[in-house]
Amino acid sequence: MQATAKAHPNIALIKYWGKRNAELNLPATGSISMTLDALWTETTARFDKTFDQDILILDGTQATQNATSRVSQFLDIFRSLSGTDQFARVESVNNFPTAAGLASSASGFAALALAASTSLGLDLAPTKLSELARRGSGSAARSIYGGFVEMSPGEKSDGADAFATQLYAESFWDVRLLVLIMSDASKQVSSTDGMNRTMATSPYYSAWKSTIPTDLDEMRVALKRKDIHRVGELAEHSCLKMHASSMASRPGIIYWNKGTVEAMNKVRELRNDGIPAYFTIDAGPQVKVLCLPEDEEKLTTHFQQLPGVEKVITASPGPGVSIVGESP
Ligand code: PMV
C-alpha cells in the first residue's frame, strides 16, 4: 500500500539542545513548541517486494547517499515493527526551501513516520508515532501534534517515555510567527554537531541545562494565560541562552549573521515603541518573530525593509500530522 502524509514544522519556544543518548536521539531536556500552519512537507511512502533498495526523492530530485541512508535507517525501525524486509520508495516535497534553515527535518520525519507506518498497515497511537519520529530528528517528535506541544525527555534508557504530547490545539490562541528568511544563509554547523560540541566543550552547558525545568514550568503557565509578553520574554530568553551556550563551545559556534543581529535589534526597537514582538532563532541565521495578528502587517513592512531580509513568511498555529492520500 502507498500512503501520503502531511506534516508541519514547529518552532521551539523553549529549546532543546543536547542529547542524553545520541544513538536513540534522546533529548537531554524537555521543550515546548508551536506547530506552524504556513509551512508543510508532504511525503509518500511505498514498500514493495520488487524494490531492491530504498530510494529517496526530495523535491523532485534523487537524494544524496547520506540523506538516503539516514532515511533507510529510520525505515528499518518500521520494517522491524511490521516484520518485513521490503525496501521503500519515499518521495517528499516541501513548500519551503529545505536549505532555508527552517526545520524541514521536523516536518520531514513526522510525515515519514506516519506515511511509512500507514503504508505498512501499522496503526500507531500518536505518542508511539512521536517516539518513533524522534528517532529521525528530535524536533520531529513535536510535529506529530498541532498547536502548542511539549516534548518530554523521558527517563527510560530505551526512550519509550521520550515523546511529545499536545498542550493546546491550534485553535487555542491566535498568534503569529513571522519567519524572516535571510539572504545570506551561510553554511552552518548541523544541530546534532552543534549540540554534541556544546555538551562536550561549553562551560555554560550544564548551567543552561539546569534552568530548563523552570523555563518549562513558566512557559506552561504563560501559555495557559495567553500572555504574549511572558511567552515572548521566555522564548527570547531560551533562544539567547541556547545560543550563548553554543557560542562558548570550542571552537565557538555562531549561527547568526549580520542580518540576524539587525533583525534582533529591530524587534527590540519595535517593542520599545509598544508593539509586543519577540524573537527566537534556531541553529541557523533565520529570525522568527512572535507577535499578535493585529501587528502582523505593520511588522512585516518593517522587516521587509531590512537589508538582510529576503522574504517574510507568516505562520499561525498549525495542525498535526495527517494522512492526505492512500492507494493500494
Ligand atoms: O530536531 P533537531 O534534533 O535537529 O534539533 C533541533 C534543535 C533546535 O531547533 C535548535 C531547538 C528545538 O528544540 O527545536
Side-chain angles (χ1 to χ4, degrees), residues 195-231:
M195 288 178 198
N196 291 344
R197 195 191 299 171
T198 306
M199 281 183 95
T201 65
S202 172
Y204 297 164
Y205 185 76
S206 56
W208 175 81
K209 195 179 156 201
S210 69
T211 62
I212 306 303
T214 310
D215 288 354
L216 292 169
D217 288 345
E218 292 183 352
M219 182 56 88
R220 268 183 240 110
V221 172
L223 277 175
K224 189 173 178 193
R225 293 185 183 147
K226 301 180 192 170
D227 182 342
I228 185 78
H229 300 285
R230 191 71 185 131
V231 169

Side-chain angles (χ1 to χ4, degrees), residues 12 15-17 19 137-139 142 191 195 242 282-283:
K15 311 272 182 214
Y16 109 85
W17 195 246
K19 303 178 199 274
S137 142
S139 51
R142 300 186 306 237
S191 54
M195 288 178 198
M242 177 206 116
D282 285 334

Side-chain angles (χ1 to χ4, degrees), residues 54-269:
D54 289 325
I55 291 182
L56 172 65
I57 313 281
L58 283 179
D59 291 321
T61 309
Q62 181 144 2
T64 59
Q65 194 50 47
N66 265 354
T68 309
S69 52
R70 188 172 169 194
V71 161
S72 277
Q73 278 175 26
F74 186 67
L75 292 175
D76 285 343
I77 304 168
F78 295 86
R79 278 190 273 259
S80 107
L81 270 178
S82 77
T84 183
D85 55 4
Q86 290 180 13
F87 290 107
R89 180 189 159 88
V90 172
E91 208 166 335
S92 199
V93 182
N94 290 316
N95 80 332
F96 56 97
T98 310
L102 299 163
S104 62
S105 65
S107 48
F109 281 103
L112 183 56
L114 184 60
S117 56
T118 307
S119 66
L120 288 170
L122 297 165
D123 185 15
L124 304 176
T127 46
K128 186 68 190 173
L129 210 52
S130 172
E131 181 199 329
L132 297 180
R134 186 207 74 225
R135 300 279 297 271
S137 142
S139 51
R142 300 186 306 237
S143 273
I144 298 300
Y145 305 92
F148 299 87
V149 179
E150 176 160 6
M151 174 71 194
S152 160
E155 286 173 354
K156 293 186 181 165
S157 55
D158 66 355
D161 55 352
F163 50 75
T165 48
Q166 188 181 56
L167 292 173
Y168 299 104
E170 52 272 31
S171 55
F172 171 73
W173 191 24
D174 192 21
V175 283
R176 295 288 178 274
L177 192 91
L178 309 179
V179 182
L180 279 47
I181 307 284
M182 298 298 167
S183 37
D184 170 24
S186 43
K187 196 165 163 41
Q188 300 138 25
V189 179
S190 76
S191 54
T192 297
D193 291 349
M195 288 178 198
N196 291 344
R197 195 191 299 171
T198 306
M199 281 183 95
T201 65
S202 172
Y204 297 164
Y205 185 76
S206 56
W208 175 81
K209 195 179 156 201
S210 69
T211 62
I212 306 303
T214 310
D215 288 354
L216 292 169
D217 288 345
E218 292 183 352
M219 182 56 88
R220 268 183 240 110
V221 172
L223 277 175
K224 189 173 178 193
R225 293 185 183 147
K226 301 180 192 170
D227 182 342
I228 185 78
H229 300 285
R230 191 71 185 131
V231 169
E233 197 189 308
L234 287 164
E236 210 175 277
H237 180 59
S238 173
C239 153
L240 289 173
K241 223 166 21 176
M242 177 206 116
H243 283 273
S245 75
S246 37
M247 280 178 195
S249 305
R250 290 188 175 193
I253 306 162
I254 303 172
Y255 285 112
W256 303 343
N257 63 26
K258 203 168 123 197
T260 314
V261 178
E262 275 167 2
M264 289 156 76
N265 286 333
K266 190 74 189 171
V267 169
R268 290 190 158 182
E269 186 190 311

